[in-house]
Amino acid sequence: MSVKYESQLREPLVYGNKTYHDVTEDIVRPIEAKPSKLWYIGFYISVCLLMFGVYSVYREVTYGIGQWNLNKTIGWGWDITNFVWWVGIGHAGTLISAILLLFRQGWRTGVNRAAEAMTIFAVMCAGQFPIFHMGRVWMAFFVLPYPNSRGPLWVNFNSPLLWDVFAISTYFTVSLLFWYSGLIPDFATVRDRAKTKLRKHLYGVAAFGWTGSTKHWQRHESLSLVLAGLSTPLVLSVHTIVSFDFATSVIPGWHTTIFPPYFVAGAIFSGFAMVQSLMVVVRKVFGLTDYITMGHIEAMNKVIVLTGSIVGIAYLTELFMGWYSQNKYEGYTFWYSRANLFSPYGWSYWGMMACNVLSPQIFWFRKMRRNLFVTFFMSVLVNIGMWFERFVIIVTSIYRDYLPSSWSVYYSPSIWEIGFYLGTFGLFFTCFFLFAKYFPTIAIAEIKYVLKTTGESYKDNMATIEQKQADEFAHEYAH
Amino acid sequence: MASIRQSFEIPGKMKTWSFALMGIGIVALIAGFVTKGMSKDHHEQDIFLGTLMYNTIFWTLVCNASMFFLCVTTMAWGGWQQSFRRIPEAISTMVPIFGAITLVVLLYVAFSGSHIYHWTDTVAVANDPILKGKSGFLNIKFFTIWTVLAIVLWSFLGWRMRKLSAQADEAAMDGETGAKFILSNTVRAATFLVWFGLTVGSTVPWLWMMSIDAHWYSTMYSWYNFASTFVAGMSLVALWVIYLKNKGYLEYTNQEHLHDVGKFMFAFSVFWTYLWFSQYMLIWYSNQPEETIYFKHRVQGPYKGIFFLNLIINFICPLLILMKRSAKRNYTLVTFMAVLIIFGHWIDYYQQIMGSISKEHVTMGWLDFGILSLFVGMMIFGVSKALASKPLIPKYHPFLKESIVHHT
């Protein structure tokens, strides 16, 4: 006997007396309606930012990397900070789709679609930085290892920077496939409801001729499982390899063995914060509060306090080892360049500590986890903190070299460096606005899958089961 | 309606086995004490103490991993583990016992002037600027206080979790009491986890183990050790689940639950390897002598065999054998793998501790297996006693029914 049951103590994941049809209606409505004024305003602002970014990049490509304020000592500044920051943000989507799937967390269905979209856009933004940091961007294809006519000029397989090329492109590909394969049945739903020919045609093409037959579903399920299996190690590998960019070196503050898992925890931390920032807004604007409930928000806040605390242990561990190792270079980096508030960049270290370790502790309290204002504020704060983390790691480790003669002056970015960063925001939000307008922001098919177990009205019917004793229930279940 | 078997009766055979194992262990302990412990040779003494050290630490942390599992699943509002939660609870009752033994052994090592903790040698510290610099952390006073605190609080916080769990045997809970019960569970679990993070997740492995190589350091060390004992702890849970199933207990637990425990064994074996690789590769890559010294004799010296055995047992075997769905649902195969994984991580502890104490030659021999048998015997005896003292299924637990309908 198959029993749809879950404890009444769990909050419903879908509120309201929804039927399958209601689910479709609610989620597809924003796609079929005309975009609101708010959408247009947001979209145009994003496009403007994107244009500013394009111009900033144009300056950099035309006049060279000197447009940025990097110098001989601080060779990695805002660009690599931004790269790591965006890659980190691009972790939540795949974690939600793959790892939370393995952990059978039902609430993932409410947010996985948007989180995966965000992942893809964030990785796209991240990719811009190392590409344009190359300076001669038209040579970017040199990173691809293939037999060529450049003689012995070949990629350096020993370099973690090259591993990054592989890791990130693999991650991007698999995330994209995973996201898209989940979209296929939903595109078909939109296609079947389409009123105009063009719409029917476009969504029809996107849906790959999905008919909803059992065979299609069966293959779809197998594919999802395979992709989830492939994605799971990728969630860990990408930021692990990003951390190798630093940790394989002999730079104090970079070379530390805890970096890989600590980077991954930080990435998930920032990824969830970004999902929160977006979802708190999207659920209101699109009227999806029945699907992205306070329970969802609370669950994500729990992930934030968990990963924030893991990151906190890692910070304290490396700070401690900076002293315990009795290595004076490590000690100088950690205790002078970072932890000393009055050193040139001390402010950034304490900003990082305050935003990433102290402030998320507020989420130990249920009231705070379920407060939308606090959630939104905290999610922004965490992302600021995570930006500082990368800035601290990169700049405070290198601005004072082993050789005091190469110590750098204070580094602040040029307008074109800032412009490039703002431009990636433009890219990210332009993509996200288009996504929100043309794609189902919630996985329709997956919500339907959990509806009868966790939908509010269905849960009410389980009250009779809840009254039963365990042995009586087990007996019925077995027969 | 078939009633469930709630009380575990310890089979005579199991008792005999546990006594036999403990008997062998005690004989080995005495023989080891006479031949090595009382030896005039410091090196022999260190080997004796080191053998006790890695066994006590390993088994304490492995049993403590059971409580970690319970607390983490509690915090995550897990339902599936309720039908067999009494097993990790029973395993965690060994923490105070093994913890007390660990305490005695570690304090003896620290106070006896043995050569294992180089930093306890005041003359050496005075002449060694590095050790002198570390003495704010590596000193006997702090070592004692922190070790006592760690063990006492693991035991106490674990006991509070178990005590609360007993409420699920008493009376049916309505919605409100159920919600309260879950809330107090999460609060207690959170307290345990915070302390766990401050000890197992950071300070304790540094103090107890990493400080044997008093100059050496690695920030990954504690997380690596956490992964090692956690995956061994999950394997121990699997072994007891299968044992009880074979004896006809745990009616609500089936292949579905075992499959999930198997997933933990698989996933955390890979996770352990990930941490292993991250630590090893980064040290190898940057090639700084003060760091590579730790691996020098392990990879190129006498420990080479054990070093690679560690990887084969703890990574290659679980990867290849446990990957298949059918493997994780097969009682025999999971039993085999659980034994292998526990053994593998015991080897890992051997190489971590003995590899630092006896750098010139591998000492694995009768004493190691004898002491292992002592601990396995005690574990079987203690866990079976704990199982027999409580109902096997928390029948009024609000999430128990979810565990009954659980399927992967």
Side-chain angles (χ1 to χ4, degrees), chain B residues 63 88 91 94 176 188 233 253 308:
Chain B
C63 294
I91 295 173
M94 296 307 291
E176 207 177 312
R188 290 185 187 194
T253 306
F308 288 105

Side-chain angles (χ1 to χ4, degrees), chain B residues 181-192:
Chain B
F181 176 70
I182 296 296
L183 179 67
S184 359
N185 264 294
T186 45
V187 171
R188 290 185 187 194
T191 327
F192 179 88

Side-chain angles (χ1 to χ4, degrees), chain A residues 27-298:
Chain A
I27 299 174
V28 180
R29 193 179 308 120
I31 305 177
E32 290 171 347
K34 265 211 156 24
S36 63
K37 238 189 195 151
L38 216 61
W39 186 91
Y40 277 113
I41 296 172
F43 183 71
Y44 287 136
I45 293 175
S46 308
V47 173
C48 290
L49 279 175
L50 176 60
M51 287 303 131
F52 184 42
V54 170
Y55 182 69
S56 303
V57 168
Y58 160 79
R59 303 263 319 184
E60 190 263 337
V61 172
T62 324
Y63 300 108
I65 209 96
Q67 292 287 298
W68 296 350
N69 278 354
L70 297 176
N71 54 47
K72 226 168 28 177
T73 311
I74 304 182
W76 282 0
W78 268 50
D79 48 355
I80 304 301
T81 300
N82 298 335
F83 157 67
V84 181
W85 187 76
W86 276 119
V87 173
I89 288 171
H91 269 65
T94 314
L95 180 103
I96 291 174
S97 332
I99 294 188
L100 294 187
L101 176 79
L102 297 179
F103 279 121
R104 254 182 254 105
Q105 296 294 308
W107 58 271
R108 56 177 275 288
T109 50
V111 291
N112 63 347
R113 171 70 46 77
E116 283 176 51
M118 185 207 79
T119 286
I120 289 158
F121 307 146
V123 175
M124 277 160 49
C125 293
Q128 309 308 316
F129 291 97
I131 290 176
F132 285 101
H133 189 199
M134 289 175 187
R136 282 177 283 177
V137 70
W138 49 95
M139 300 290 198
F141 66 95
F142 274 33
V143 301
L144 302 174
Y146 64 96
N148 57 60
S149 55
R150 302 192 292 272
L153 198 55
W154 191 255
V155 291
N156 181 3
F157 283 105
N158 291 335
S159 165
L161 300 179
L162 181 71
W163 309 341
D164 250 348
V165 174
F166 302 143
I168 293 173
S169 51
T170 310
Y171 183 68
F172 182 73
T173 313
V174 173
S175 299
L176 189 68
L177 285 175
F178 203 0
W179 179 65
Y180 198 84
S181 69
L183 271 166
I184 290 174
D186 289 0
F187 276 146
T189 306
V190 183
R191 172 200 64 195
D192 296 343
R193 296 164 52 93
K195 299 235 165 63
T196 65
K197 250 194 169 163
L198 179 70
R199 201 179 167 85
K200 204 171 197 77
H201 179 72
L202 289 177
Y203 282 102
V205 170
F208 287 171
W210 177 270
T211 62
S213 72
T214 316
K215 205 74 206 162
H216 277 182
W217 275 114
Q218 193 191 24
R219 285 180 180 144
H220 183 259
E221 297 268 310
S222 319
L223 178 68
S224 302
L225 206 64
V226 170
L227 287 174
L230 283 174
S231 304
T232 302
L234 287 175
V235 175
L236 279 93
S237 70
V238 177
H239 231 53
T240 292
I241 289 173
V242 171
S243 84
F244 287 168
D245 292 344
F246 304 98
T248 50
S249 71
V250 289
I251 307 287
W254 285 8
H255 177 69
T256 176
T257 48
I258 208 172
F259 254 31
Y262 143 46
F263 264 50
V264 173
I268 294 164
F269 181 55
S270 65
F272 268 88
M274 190 57 108
V275 176
Q276 289 284 43
S277 304
L278 296 175
M279 283 301 134
V280 167
V281 178
V282 167
R283 69 194 281 275
K284 273 268 180 272
V285 174
F286 288 161
L288 295 171
T289 45
D290 284 342
Y291 301 95
I292 304 169
T293 66
M294 285 316 293
H296 289 81
I297 304 274
E298 188 183 4

Side-chain angles (χ1 to χ4, degrees), chain A residues 3 5-11 102-105 158-160 163 236-237 239-240 243-244 247-251 255-262 264-265 302 310-311 313-314 316-318 320-321 323-327 330 364 366 402 465-475 477, chain B residues 1-2 75-79 129-130 133-138 172 175 178-179 182 190 194 197-198 201-202 206 210-211 214-221 223 252 260 263-264 271 274-275 277-279 281-283 285-286 288 290-291 395-396 398-402 404-408:
Chain A
V3 179
Y5 166 77
E6 78 166 21
S7 168
Q8 294 286 55
L9 292 180
R10 293 182 199 276
E11 276 176 78
L102 297 179
F103 279 121
R104 254 182 254 105
Q105 296 294 308
N158 291 335
S159 165
W163 309 341
L236 279 93
S237 70
H239 231 53
T240 292
S243 84
F244 287 168
T248 50
S249 71
V250 289
I251 307 287
H255 177 69
T256 176
T257 48
I258 208 172
F259 254 31
Y262 143 46
V264 173
K302 284 180 182 171
I310 294 177
V311 165
I313 289 193
L316 295 179
T317 297
E318 51 171 19
F320 172 79
M321 287 296 168
W323 166 77
Y324 179 85
S325 66
Q326 290 292 307
N327 175 325
E330 293 282 342
W364 283 100
R366 185 166 191 268
Y402 283 112
I465 301 184
E466 202 73 345
Q467 300 303 325
K468 285 183 188 154
Q469 293 302 318
D471 42 0
E472 189 190 346
F473 173 71
H475 181 77
Y477 178 65
Chain B
M1 204 182 306
M75 288 298 274
W77 280 51
I130 292 185
K134 292 183 184 205
S135 62
F137 181 72
L138 293 185
I182 296 296
V194 168
L198 294 175
S202 49
W206 302 336
M210 195 169 86
S211 75
H215 280 198
W216 186 78
Y217 56 91
S218 165
T219 42
M220 180 73 99
Y221 198 82
W223 290 10
Y252 301 154
D260 274 356
K263 282 182 195 167
F264 268 94
F271 182 70
Y274 163 62
L275 299 188
F277 176 77
S278 300
Q279 175 170 270
M281 192 282 280
L282 290 174
I283 288 176
Y285 196 109
S286 80
Q288 302 180 64
E290 69 262 36
E291 289 185 348
K395 64 176 178 179
Y396 301 117
F399 291 156
L400 179 63
K401 276 174 256 173
E402 288 188 359
I404 294 172
V405 297
H406 177 67
H407 61 88
T408 60

Side-chain angles (χ1 to χ4, degrees), chain B residues 94-203:
Chain B
M94 296 307 291
V95 172
I97 301 163
F98 287 157
I101 303 175
T102 310
L103 185 68
V104 172
V105 172
L106 290 181
L107 292 190
Y108 180 78
V109 171
F111 280 97
S112 68
S114 117
H115 292 240
I116 294 178
Y117 290 137
H118 190 49
W119 49 269
T120 56
D121 183 342
T122 41
V123 182
V125 173
N127 294 314
D128 183 333
I130 292 185
L131 287 187
K132 214 168 165 184
K134 292 183 184 205
S135 62
F137 181 72
L138 293 185
N139 64 72
I140 293 189
K141 209 191 264 169
F142 179 73
F143 183 86
T144 311
I145 295 172
W146 201 249
T147 304
V148 171
L149 260 183
I151 293 168
V152 167
L153 283 179
W154 294 336
S155 308
F156 172 68
L157 298 171
W159 170 78
R160 282 179 74 216
M161 277 298 284
R162 292 192 296 272
K163 194 161 168 253
L164 190 61
S165 168
Q167 276 183 21
D169 299 321
E170 287 157 13
M173 300 185 200
D174 58 20
E176 207 177 312
T177 22
K180 259 196 195 143
F181 176 70
I182 296 296
L183 179 67
S184 359
N185 264 294
T186 45
V187 171
R188 290 185 187 194
T191 327
F192 179 88
L193 289 178
V194 168
W195 185 240
F196 191 87
L198 294 175
T199 51
V200 180
S202 49
T203 48

